[in-house]
Amino acid sequence: MPDSPSMPTAVIPKRLGDKTGIARTGIFLAGVVLAAVVGNFAASLAVVVTIGRDAGEVVTFVAGTLGTELSFLLIGAAYLRVGSSFRPSVQMLKRRAVPYLISGLLASFATAFLSLAVTDAVVPAIDLSPGYMEYSNLGEPTGAGLVAAAVLSLAVIGPVEELFFRGVIQSRLQAALGSVSAISIAGATFALFHVYPVALLSPPAIIISHMAAYYTLMGAIFGWVYYRTDTLIAPALVHGTFNATVFTLPLWM
């Protein structure tokens, strides 16, 4: 059993490593990111118009999450159907994938622990605007919302975001740039979509830097799991399980 995985067969038909392929990959990345940003904003607006501003906490959180994930799903599916000749690798998990699943989960929790430690050390020492503090507390589920968040993490957030960021973006980048660059850039793109809503509120640069580093590393962990296991089911499971665990921890504390 080989330890090092190869590029998925029958997924990417040919390598695009020449200058033309790299240029086309850059255009692809810019286009997909722009489309997803527009889609996210449109989804958020649609949710506000549909449920109003006075909906309950759980309804607001669930609707907002579903709207955002639907935009990722539609854009990813549209690219795969119209603009792509490859398909992400989706196959049943094999026994050899188990160590990578465990390693991915452990690395995710270690990264989250380090992030919390840095946050505890840094945030009390800086001034945060009231607008940023208000935003940071928006959409944070409590009670039944935590259970809903855990279910959404496993059933929607993990699968959809891994399809978009790893199945579409990382797979396409790997065809032109290789695995290391693809994992890194896809991780940074993953971070972008978690950071830009906060950046719009002009928080201190150290907050943005911290968030960008954290989410880039998390995205890279999920990307590594995908690369090593050669199936989207693995990072979707790691991502969803990690989120679900984080959401449900307050219920046990």
Side-chain angles (χ1 to χ4, degrees), residues 104-115:
L105 276 173
L106 291 177
S108 298
F109 287 118
T111 300
F113 177 80
L114 290 175
S115 175

Side-chain angles (χ1 to χ4, degrees), residues 221-242:
I221 291 170
F222 302 147
W224 174 81
V225 172
Y226 176 47
Y227 172 70
R228 299 298 297 186
T229 60
D230 192 21
T231 175
L232 277 175
I233 294 176
L237 187 58
V238 172
H239 188 168
T241 301
F242 170 78

Side-chain angles (χ1 to χ4, degrees), residues 12 35 55 119 224:
I12 302 173
T119 299
W224 174 81

Side-chain angles (χ1 to χ4, degrees), residues 146-199:
L146 291 170
V147 177
V151 173
L152 285 174
S153 294
L154 290 167
V156 179
I157 297 174
V160 171
E161 292 191 3
E162 292 312 303
L163 169 66
F164 183 76
F165 291 105
R166 256 56 67 180
V168 173
I169 293 178
Q170 182 173 313
S171 294
R172 181 63 176 80
L173 292 174
Q174 185 169 320
L177 306 176
S179 58
V180 174
S181 295
I183 291 171
S184 301
I185 297 173
T189 306
F190 178 76
L192 172 66
F193 283 90
H194 289 80
V195 171
Y196 82 78
V198 177

Side-chain angles (χ1 to χ4, degrees), residues 14-61:
K14 63 178 181 178
R15 191 165 181 82
L16 305 172
D18 57 4
K19 292 182 179 179
T20 301
I22 293 174
R24 288 171 57 192
T25 300
I27 295 172
F28 148 79
L29 182 61
V32 168
V33 167
L34 178 60
V37 169
V38 173
N40 281 187
F41 276 113
S44 298
L45 180 60
V47 167
V48 171
V49 171
T50 302
I51 69 173
R53 296 180 178 276
D54 299 324
E57 175 188 87
V58 176
V59 173
T60 300
F61 175 80

